[in-house]
Each structure stands twice: as structure tokens, then as C-alpha cells.
Amino acid sequence: MLANRVERGRYLDSVALMRVSRSLEALAGVESAALMIGSPSNKALLRGAGLLAREGEAATPNDLIIAVRARDERSGAEALAHAAMLLSQSHRASNSETAMRARSLAGALELLPQANLALISVPGEFAAYEARRALERGLHVLLFSDNVSLEDEAALKRFARERGLLLMGPDCGTALIAGTPLAFANVVPRGGVGIVSASGTGLQEVSTLIARMGGGVSHGIGVGGRDLDARVGALGTLAALDALEADAGTERIVLVSKPPAPEVARRVLERVRNSAKPCVVCFLGLETDDQGERPAYAATLTEAAERAVGRKLEPFVVSEPMKVKGRRIEALYCGGTLCAEAELIFRRKRLEGHRFVDLGDDQYTRGRPHPMIEPAIRNDHIARAMADPAVGALLLDVVLGFGAHENPAGVLLNVLRGGKPVIASVTGTEQDPQGWSRQARLLREAGVFVAASNAHAAELAARLVS
């Protein structure tokens, strides 16, 4: 039984909608559920998932679609009623908050005339338009939205550069601006290290390791995952470098990204070599034989943080698990860059036949919350790996901070007791809402080998199969 309900003229944040979707899917008799704004791209996703009925087809981008596929008519009706109840609760909680609210950019600026930054999180079809409007009003922009075309991204960044403004994104999930965490970010002390990152979890890993080694961050500027694509040409990265060079509180700069396009890498590295401030470059997977002192190169996110603060991250003293030669490592990740870093470490050691899965990739998150928001999504994958005789050990990440689940380690506990070694790292700080040591302790009590960083965890996992 397929049912759609359309609520006219209603908009809710995508994270809130995904949480309701997850609650509906947990109901008896419900096979699949999704709540989405009725934009063309969202309707295409629902159609592809077999969740779009005639009522939903008629929805507009101003409407909310509640879609349920259930075992029978009664289960579907109960799920729709439950969705209405959850949305009502969300509305009451929202109205009870004391934060100022506005329904437009102009209204927001009337409430906060001194504001100089706009965080934009709207469906991708409208994101470029809203970002341009904010830039026209003289605001820096953090563009959280994805599904913005490369052409629009490049045009927006050129427009921002002409006005001396920063455009962070699109698909910028993390930033730390003057000590304020934005989106998926952590509580990190202020200090002399500025970070420019084309990776959200890369920025989180480097900034939290800097904090745990006694350092601090002046600003962490996210530029979006496609900024170093040849069609964008590192416009955001170069603008962020200029901003950090001009910032009196920034003493050294760290750049984080997956490998850029070759011509873009040359442009960025030439800019870095001429920087007035010492720089550390961590382009994961970029091989260089440059032995000069400027810039300093880092092969891993851990090494980037170490070079930034001038000290080594102490490994945790743990008894290592037994070797599992002849079987594979199953790496199940929430953070895409953390997954890429672990896979790179294995590849450099010429270890083949192991499986690295980024569960935050689009193929796993269409119509579903990201595993940093709802880590239970990973549990089914862990259970299958535990039951697979070809899997010798598991490698996991746990990412803390604002926007992440309130207790991600706790969600994992029920599926980690399977007899196979589990190695994990925890990205976060003591001041994060989840508490770094509390999350690490929960994992250790479940028998998990907790490493000091993602790179340390991957190195430990590699030793099991070497």
C-alpha cells in the first residue's frame, strides 16, 4: 500500500524531516517512508524509490510530501497519523524556542542589522539564488545546501571575490568562524592555526586533534568538496587563504583536501609557496617529491595537525588484537574523507582485498539521514560484517560535535558484541555535547580498540592483516 499526504505551504528543515522518516520506518508494517519538500529533484528521488503517488506528483516546492509504503492500508494510515503527530510536536517545540525568527533574508537583517554572515540551507534548486541575494547584501555566506551546479558555484565565488566576501560551499558542512562552530563542527579553543578545508570531516579531524594536542584554531573555513575541481579552480580556497593571511590571529595555515585537479594543485601550491605565513598542505593521495621547506606536506590528517602545532600525537597504550591474516578488514565509515584516508593508508602498504564503505555517500543517504545524524543506519552493515566469515576485523569512525547524534557510541553497543576485533577512532573534544572521553569509554567497555586518531586506527587495522 502506497500513500502520500501533501501539506500545502509547509517547509521544515531536512534534518528534522529525516528524523521523522526514520521514526516512521521503525513502525510495524511500514516498509519504507520519506518526508521531503516537493521540489523537482526530491520528487525524482521519491519516484525512483517507488514512494511517489499521484498526490505527491502534484506537490510544489512550497509543499511537504509525506510518503509511506506499508504492508496494508491500516499500517499506512497509522504511519501517516504518526507523522502528523511528530510534525506537530516539532512545530510546538520550534515555537517554544526563544531564538528570534524571520521568514525572509530582509526580515532577518531587520532583527540582526549587525549580521555579516548568512548560513543557507534550502533545497538546491533555490540555493544559488538565495546565496547571491545574501552576497548582494554584503554578507559572507556558508552555503550548506548541495545540488548546486558547478557553473553556479563558480559564478557565486567570482561574485563573492569581487565584493571581498567569502562564499563557503556549496555542500559546506563544517566551519569554525572566530570560535563559533557552524553546522557539523566541534567545540575547539581559539588559537593560531587557520584551516582551509574542502572536507567537512577532514576539518573536524584536524581541528579536534589540534585541540587535543593543546593548540587552538583561529578560523576553520570550509570551501565545499568541489572547490578544487578544474571547473571551479580553487576560487574558495584562494579567497580563504587571502582572508587568513590578513587575519592577525592566524599564525600558520593548514590546507585539507582530497587530491585536486593537477592544474588547480599547481595554482594553489604556488600561492602557498608565496604565503607570508607558514603553511601545511594535506592533499590526501597527492604524491609529491618536493622537499622544500615551504610548504610542509602532510600525508595524513593526523600529520597535518601535528605539523600545525609542532608536536606528535601520543598513541594510546592498548594491547593490540590478534592477527587476522587471510581475512579482510571491513571499514564502515560515516565520514567520507576519513574513509578515504584509511583506504589510502592501506593502499600505500599494498594491502588489497579489503572493503572501505563511505555510508555518507549519496547512494546510502537518498531520503535518509546521514549516519552522523542517525548512526543506527550503520548497524545493519555491522551486523552483516560480524556474521561474514571472510571478515576478520572491523574499522569504524565515531564523529562528535554539533549536528551529530547525541550518543553515537551508545547506538553501536548492541551490534559490537560479535567476537571479532573492532577498531575505532573518535573525532571530537571533551567540550563537545557528547563528550569525547565518555564516547571513548563506552566503546572500550564494549571491547572496542579505540585509537588516538583515524590514521592511528587505520594503521592498527593494517597491522592485523600485514
Side-chain angles (χ1 to χ4, degrees):
M1 181 264 186
L2 176 63
N4 285 183
R5 175 183 294 168
V6 176
E7 299 206 359
R8 303 292 177 188
R10 187 164 194 183
Y11 179 85
L12 276 86
D13 181 82
S14 59
V15 173
L17 295 179
M18 287 177 177
R19 289 194 187 280
V20 175
S21 301
R22 188 68 177 170
S23 297
L24 297 186
E25 290 187 331
L27 297 175
V30 174
E31 296 175 358
S32 186
L35 282 76
M36 290 186 172
I37 301 302
S39 65
S41 61
N42 282 346
K43 287 198 287 188
L45 288 174
L46 290 171
R47 196 179 298 117
L51 283 170
L52 193 65
R54 181 168 50 85
E55 296 85 352
E57 290 281 7
T60 75
N62 293 318
D63 305 329
L64 170 64
I65 304 171
I66 306 171
V68 174
R69 186 169 62 243
R71 186 175 53 211
D72 50 48
E73 189 171 344
R74 178 180 175 181
S75 298
E78 289 176 349
L80 291 176
H82 190 64
M85 182 269 291
L86 293 174
L87 291 172
S88 176
Q89 289 177 349
S90 174
H91 179 70
R92 286 197 299 272
S94 175
N95 286 341
S96 69
E97 294 174 2
T98 58
M100 293 183 289
R101 295 187 172 276
R103 295 182 61 84
S104 68
L105 176 62
L109 287 171
E110 286 180 9
L111 291 171
L112 283 175
Q114 75 278 20
N116 66 354
L117 184 146
L119 193 158
I120 295 174
S121 177
V122 298
E125 291 91 338
F126 318 111
Y129 172 77
E130 294 296 343
R132 189 176 184 89
R133 288 181 65 223
L135 292 168
E136 288 171 346
R137 299 293 291 264
L139 300 173
H140 303 286
V141 171
L142 189 152
L143 189 49
F144 186 85
S145 306
D146 59 4
N147 292 314
V148 175
S149 72
L150 277 163
E151 293 75 18
D152 281 341
E153 177 174 348
L156 285 168
K157 287 178 173 174
R158 285 193 294 268
F159 189 72
R161 182 181 61 191
E162 291 167 4
R163 284 155 178 77
L165 298 169
L166 277 177
L167 182 114
M168 296 173 274
D171 199 17
C172 176
T174 303
L176 285 161
I177 305 300
T180 300
L182 298 176
F184 293 98
N186 305 85
V187 182
V188 176
R190 297 295 303 277
V193 182
I195 305 172
V196 181
S197 180
S199 158
T201 49
L203 198 160
Q204 287 187 270
E205 177 81 348
V206 172
S207 64
T208 56
L209 290 176
I210 287 171
R212 283 166 43 203
M213 287 187 285
V217 173
S218 58
H219 307 278
I221 302 174
V223 296
R226 305 179 306 184
D227 186 70
L228 283 85
D229 184 284
R231 290 163 290 183
V232 180
L235 289 168
T237 297
L238 295 172
L241 279 167
D242 290 343
L244 291 176
E245 277 203 338
D247 177 55
T250 300
E251 299 167 2
R252 56 179 54 83
I253 300 169
V254 178
L255 279 74
V256 177
S257 175
K258 294 176 185 175
E263 64 272 28
V264 176
R266 285 192 293 271
R267 187 180 314 145
V268 173
L269 292 176
E270 183 60 31
R271 172 68 181 80
V272 166
R273 290 188 188 101
N274 294 319
S275 173
K277 297 180 179 179
C279 296
V280 178
V281 174
C282 181
F283 289 161
L284 290 171
L286 178 69
E287 301 298 336
T288 177
D289 55 6
D290 191 331
Q291 300 299 312
E293 293 183 4
R294 295 176 64 87
Y297 290 96
T300 65
L301 300 170
T302 299
E303 187 180 347
E306 291 172 335
R307 286 180 175 268
V309 297
R311 65 190 65 175
K312 296 289 286 185
L313 179 68
E314 291 296 326
F316 297 144
V317 179
V318 294
S319 57
E320 296 194 4
M322 298 283 292
K323 296 270 191 181
V324 291
K325 286 183 113 176
R327 290 185 288 169
R328 77 167 187 268
I329 299 294
E330 184 90 348
L332 299 170
Y333 272 84
C334 297
T337 298
L338 301 180
C339 184
E341 179 184 47
E343 188 170 12
L344 177 64
I345 287 170
F346 269 60
R347 191 162 65 243
R348 283 175 174 158
K349 296 178 181 296
R350 294 181 171 80
L351 296 172
E352 299 178 349
H354 305 281
R355 188 165 177 259
F356 295 82
V357 183
D358 170 17
L359 292 169
D361 187 77
D362 287 349
Q363 64 177 306
Y364 298 105
T365 58
R366 288 192 179 95
R368 294 173 175 269
H370 192 280
M372 281 171 56
I373 300 169
E374 184 47 84
I377 290 170
R378 180 163 54 177
N379 284 6
D380 289 342
H381 296 268
I382 293 173
R384 285 195 292 272
M386 286 290 190
D388 187 345
V391 174
L394 276 71
L395 177 60
L396 310 174
D397 63 337
V398 175
V399 183
L400 314 182
F402 295 105
H405 190 276
E406 61 189 16
N407 184 18
V411 172
L412 294 171
L413 297 185
N414 291 334
V415 290
L416 291 182
R417 307 179 191 279
K420 292 181 179 178
V422 178
I423 299 166
S425 65
V426 181
T427 298
T429 69
E430 284 302 315
Q431 290 70 41
D432 283 333
Q434 302 88 350
W436 184 88
S437 61
R438 174 175 173 268
Q439 293 292 299
R441 185 182 69 252
L442 288 172
L443 293 170
R444 289 193 188 100
E445 290 173 351
V448 176
F449 294 86
V450 180
S453 72
N454 181 63
H456 284 200
E459 292 280 357
L460 175 56
R463 288 199 293 273
L464 301 190
V465 292
S466 299

